[in-house]
Amino acid sequence: MTLRTGHVGLNVTDLDRSLAFYRDVLGFGVLGEGEEGDDGERRYAFLGSLSGDGRPVLTLWQQARDGFAPGRAGLHHLALQVDTVERVREYESALRDHGVTFAHDGVVAHHEGAASGGIFFHDPDGTRLEIFAASGAEEAPAPHASAPTCGFF
């Protein structure tokens, strides 16, 4: 048996704000929502493709008090793949319109001479995200000479 990622769960501080980002900016469909308890403080949402197989790709859990902490053990970043570098640039434009903070300016290669590359940015809680394509970034700069671009941002 080979393991593969089923879905990724992210803790968020404000589910409504995170849903607006992941649904409206990144285009995930909301497959389901719920809450635990009577206070409405512990809410969650399952996100995925509404036209796909109905399986969740991402689950948002409203249970964090503070934003993402890159200096703590745990999730380093979440990488999302698209088919073309042109599609990466479409996401870049939508994210810029939304005022998102980027780690690098525009599309960057994964390392010097790589065909793969993408954009690196942060969600509303500061979680580090990447949208990349496997090819098309041959002419893009590589921000780090000796380490993968996705390693230190």
Side-chain angles (χ1 to χ4, degrees), residues 2-151:
T2 301
L3 291 175
R4 65 178 187 263
T5 303
H7 70 275
V8 174
L10 297 178
N11 283 339
V12 300
T13 58
D14 181 330
L15 184 62
D16 293 327
R17 179 181 69 172
S18 292
L19 271 176
F21 178 79
Y22 285 94
R23 180 192 59 224
D24 302 341
V25 181
L26 295 184
F28 282 100
V30 178
L31 304 176
E33 295 182 65
E35 65 182 62
E36 177 189 312
D38 297 329
D39 59 8
E41 293 290 317
R42 294 172 52 110
R43 299 170 48 217
Y44 60 90
F46 297 112
L47 307 179
S49 171
L50 294 175
S51 61
D53 59 10
R55 293 185 321 154
V57 172
L58 189 62
T59 305
L60 304 177
W61 300 95
Q62 181 177 286
Q63 60 183 354
R65 289 189 178 92
D66 299 312
F68 181 78
R72 297 182 65 190
L75 178 73
H76 180 273
H77 75 286
L78 174 61
L80 304 165
Q81 186 172 0
V82 295
D83 292 334
T84 66
V85 75
E86 289 77 20
R87 187 72 177 119
V88 173
R89 288 190 177 99
E90 290 172 11
Y91 276 105
E92 177 188 7
S93 178
L95 289 161
R96 286 195 190 284
D97 290 347
H98 193 71
V100 167
T101 302
F102 285 82
H104 308 291
D105 189 32
V107 173
V108 294
H110 278 137
H111 59 81
E112 274 199 44
S116 64
I119 54 175
F120 298 83
F121 57 98
H122 301 87
D123 81 355
D125 282 309
T127 302
R128 298 183 293 194
L129 302 171
E130 169 187 359
I131 297 177
F132 76 97
S135 63
E138 292 86 348
E139 303 300 318
H144 305 290
S146 61
T149 300
C150 62

